[in-house]
């Protein structure tokens, strides 16, 4: 159902939290031709350290997917 909906609604990217299976997210992206953007759900050690950096990471990932 998800693949059909992505195609029917002309979705161009999928934003997925990094705790989801990368293989499943990639499989959806491959089957539909969209870009997969995986991001952490919250600030973390070795990654974005605060909420603003986290949101910047999300936006940068999406902007790259739509280029």
């Amino acid at each position: 159902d998800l693949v059909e909906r992505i195609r029917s609604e002309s979705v161009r990217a999928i934003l997925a939290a990094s705790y989801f299976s990368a293989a499943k997210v990639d499989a959806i992206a491959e089957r539909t031709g969209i870009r997969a953007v995986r991001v952490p759900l919250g600030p973390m050690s070795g990654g974005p350290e605060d909420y603003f950096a986290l949101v910047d990471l999300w936006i940068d990932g999406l902007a790259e997917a739509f280029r």
Side-chain angles (χ1 to χ4, degrees):
D1 291 340
L2 179 60
V3 170
E4 289 176 22
R5 187 167 185 183
I6 287 170
R7 289 180 178 150
S8 71
E9 295 185 19
S10 301
V11 173
R12 294 175 37 202
I14 186 170
L15 182 66
S18 55
Y19 62 81
F20 286 112
S21 164
K24 289 181 182 179
V25 173
D26 289 342
I28 292 168
E30 285 180 28
R31 287 184 64 187
T32 59
I34 64 174
R35 303 276 313 255
V37 179
R38 284 186 294 286
V39 296
L41 194 55
M44 55 194 265
S45 174
E49 296 181 10
D50 62 32
Y51 182 73
F52 296 106
L54 178 64
V55 172
D56 284 342
L57 181 70
W58 296 344
I59 292 170
D60 291 345
L62 287 171
E64 179 64 29
F66 285 102
R67 283 192 189 114

